[in-house]
């Protein structure tokens, strides 16, 4: 059963309270370079990014947020460590959310200033606990950064905000290993109803990070935990967005573009299927409609899968059958199979 959370608003995007799980990413450009950052944000938005975050390491970066916000097509979050003045500049620049840990800001009056500015603008704060930077006292108490220590850290930050009457809160608890992350989120979900931003931090390169994120986030989402997600990859952040969407699509939590089905091939396959499947996926990935596209190697499982899909092919000897909504459209020579399937999928998308 889904973990029930309260809803907050990050600009135009609702997070929690049954809202669709949103896909986030973070720019890896220098925030002070407004043109480069906006260019990346546009690429991210086109790939389906719904909320974007920028690092704010100094005053110049905080001031650049004004120009970025003015042209940013999606809600913008400022990621700030320690410095309350940077948070105030970012809020003044019009950001839609802050990621800052109140326990790291310092004196109470500084936290109060930030919370007051957030409350006036209805801007939420994400508390982002990272297993790699836990408070010294908690490391001493628990021996190392355990799931319990991460949860205690998050609740400590939450209490600071609640004591100031602020509850537009979102929480993340990221560790670089799946077991600890999943355990921490489960424990936190059992004891609070703030919306949860989920992710496996420092997950790795596009290949290994995709697998880790799919396993970790998939486990949480299958349990109904998670209101917004970020896949962290050492690579192009656009890939983070694509992976995030594929995770949500595979659990049928969101829909975006086509769903691909293809067989692994085996000794029964009599066409060169792998390049066909790759070409079909590459050329159809930006199709705006949810259409199931099947690429199957032979007549054993092929026609069944191809029939159940909206469009599909099932290979034979040097040729294949093209299906649409379970009906055979025609026989197609092997060399034309990819093109025929792509055309049929595009036609169907236009008609529907
Ligand atoms: Fe093998 Fe046919 Fe199954 Fe593909 S669909 S894996 S070719 S049996």
């Amino acid at each position: 059963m889904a973990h029930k959370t309260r809803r907050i608003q990050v600009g135009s995007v609702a997070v929690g309270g049954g809202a669709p799980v949103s896909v986030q990413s973070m720019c890896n450009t220098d925030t002070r370079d407004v043109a480069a950052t906006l260019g990346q944000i546009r690429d991210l938005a086109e790939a389906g990014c719904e909320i974007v975050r920028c690092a704010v390491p100094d005053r110049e970066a905080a001031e650049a947020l004004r120009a970025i916000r003015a042209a940013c097509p999606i809600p913008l979050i400022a990621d700030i460590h320690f410095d309350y003045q940077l948070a105030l500049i970012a809020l003044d620049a019009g950001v839609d959310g802050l990621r800052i840990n109140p326990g790291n800001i310092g004196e109470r009056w500084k936290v109060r200033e930030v919370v007051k500015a957030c409350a006036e603008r209805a801007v939420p704060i994400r508390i982002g606990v990272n297993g790699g930077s836990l408070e010294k006292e908690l490391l001493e108490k628990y021996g190392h950064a355990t799931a319990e220590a991460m949860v205690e850290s998050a609740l400590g930050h939450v209490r600071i905000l609640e004591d100031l009457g602020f509850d537009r809160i979102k929480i993340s608890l990221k560790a670089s290993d799946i077991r600890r992350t999943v355990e921490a989120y489960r424990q936190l979900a059992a004891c609070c109803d703030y919306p949860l931003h989920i992710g496996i931090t420092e997950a790795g390169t596009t290949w290994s990070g995709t697998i880790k994120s799919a396993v970790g986030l998939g486990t949480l989402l299958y349990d109904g935990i998670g209101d917004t997600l970020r896949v962290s990859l050492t690579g192009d952040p656009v890939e983070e967005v694509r992976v995030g969407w594929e995770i949500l699509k595979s659990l049928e939590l969101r829909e975006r573009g086509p769903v691909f089905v293809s067989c692994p091939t085996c000794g029964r396959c009599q066409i060169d299927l792998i390049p066909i499947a790759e070409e079909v996926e590459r050329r159809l990935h930006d199709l705006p409609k949810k259409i199931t596209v099947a690429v199957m190697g032979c007549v054993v499982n092929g026609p069944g899968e191809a029939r159940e899909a909206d469009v599909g092919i099932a290979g034979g000897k040097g040729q294949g059958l093209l299906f649409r909504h379970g009906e055979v459209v025609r026989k197609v020579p092997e060399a034309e199979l990819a093109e025929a399937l792509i055309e049929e999928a595009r036609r169907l998308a236009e008609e529907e």
Side-chain angles (χ1 to χ4, degrees):
M1 207 176 64
H3 165 234
K4 282 211 174 72
T5 53
R6 46 180 109 178
R7 180 171 293 193
I8 59 165
Q9 224 30 64
V10 182
S12 56
V13 176
V15 176
V21 180
S22 47
V23 176
Q24 310 200 14
S25 185
M26 183 167 182
C27 287
N28 62 8
T29 50
D30 183 337
T31 308
R32 292 166 295 196
D33 186 339
V34 173
T37 302
L38 275 173
Q40 188 169 65
I41 290 174
R42 288 193 192 103
D43 289 346
L44 288 167
E46 204 172 302
C49 181
E50 296 170 303
I51 298 173
V52 69
R53 183 157 46 110
C54 289
V56 184
D58 59 22
R59 200 179 175 97
E60 206 188 322
E63 279 162 359
L65 292 173
R66 187 176 299 278
I68 295 171
R69 175 59 277 174
C72 184
I74 50 177
L76 176 68
I77 294 184
D79 189 294
I80 292 162
H81 289 276
F82 313 118
D83 191 335
Y84 85 107
Q85 279 180 320
L86 297 183
L88 295 178
I89 298 170
L91 288 164
D92 210 38
V95 295
D96 303 283
L98 279 188
R99 184 258 162 138
I100 192 165
N101 289 348
N104 301 345
I105 294 178
E107 292 99 316
R108 187 84 166 169
W109 65 269
K110 292 181 181 170
V111 183
R112 202 176 299 121
E113 289 282 298
V114 174
V115 166
K116 188 166 157 268
C118 283
E120 281 167 4
R121 295 163 174 83
V123 165
I125 294 178
R126 169 157 70 93
I127 292 167
V129 170
N130 192 309
S133 54
L134 274 193
E135 295 89 334
K136 220 169 97 226
E137 314 82 69
L138 290 174
L139 291 175
E140 277 163 14
K141 177 175 171 187
Y142 290 96
H144 58 103
T146 61
E148 290 76 11
M150 288 165 62
V151 171
E152 190 171 328
S153 172
L155 294 177
H157 292 294
V158 166
R159 213 167 302 119
I160 295 171
L161 295 181
E162 285 178 340
D163 286 349
L164 291 167
F166 189 84
D167 64 358
R168 285 193 172 87
I169 299 171
K170 179 161 64 107
I171 309 173
S172 65
L173 294 173
K174 299 188 187 177
S176 55
D177 63 278
I178 294 167
R179 283 177 180 274
R180 203 160 32 123
T181 306
V182 169
E183 188 49 42
Y185 276 108
R186 281 180 175 160
Q187 288 181 19
L188 186 64
C191 67
C192 84
D193 67 353
Y194 288 114
L196 299 179
H197 163 126
I198 58 173
I200 307 291
T201 195
E202 295 127 23
T205 59
T206 302
W207 189 79
S208 59
T210 294
I211 295 168
K212 267 196 196 174
S213 298
V215 174
L217 302 189
T219 304
L220 287 167
L221 290 166
Y222 192 76
D223 280 355
I225 295 174
D227 300 287
T228 181
L229 66 80
R230 185 215 172 176
V231 171
S232 300
L233 299 176
T234 309
D236 184 346
V238 167
E239 289 302 318
E240 296 184 353
V241 175
R242 293 200 182 117
V243 173
W245 272 103
E246 282 308 312
I247 292 171
L248 293 176
K249 279 165 65 180
S250 67
L251 288 167
E252 296 177 18
L253 290 170
R254 299 283 306 267
E255 285 181 6
R256 183 181 167 87
V259 173
F260 294 102
V261 176
S262 60
C263 85
T265 79
C266 71
R268 290 184 199 91
C269 188
Q270 296 185 76
I271 57 170
D272 191 9
L273 185 92
I274 296 170
I276 296 175
E278 285 173 349
E279 182 179 350
V280 168
E281 188 170 65
R282 180 172 47 78
R283 289 178 53 195
L284 287 180
H285 87 268
D286 57 354
L287 206 68
K289 291 268 167 56
K290 186 198 171 195
I291 285 183
T292 308
V293 181
V295 180
M296 305 299 292
C298 79
V299 291
V300 175
N301 298 321
E305 286 289 355
R307 272 207 177 94
E308 281 191 17
D310 293 309
V311 289
I313 53 167
K317 194 171 166 48
Q319 60 180 17
L321 292 175
L322 177 67
F323 291 87
R324 174 183 167 134
H325 287 156
E327 303 292 330
V328 175
V329 178
R330 63 178 194 275
K331 264 191 196 158
V332 181
E334 180 177 351
E336 294 161 27
L337 273 172
E339 199 59 49
L341 182 57
I342 290 164
E343 264 175 31
E344 200 61 41
R346 291 225 167 98
R347 203 172 301 132
L348 186 65
E350 267 168 34
E351 287 169 17
E352 289 190 350

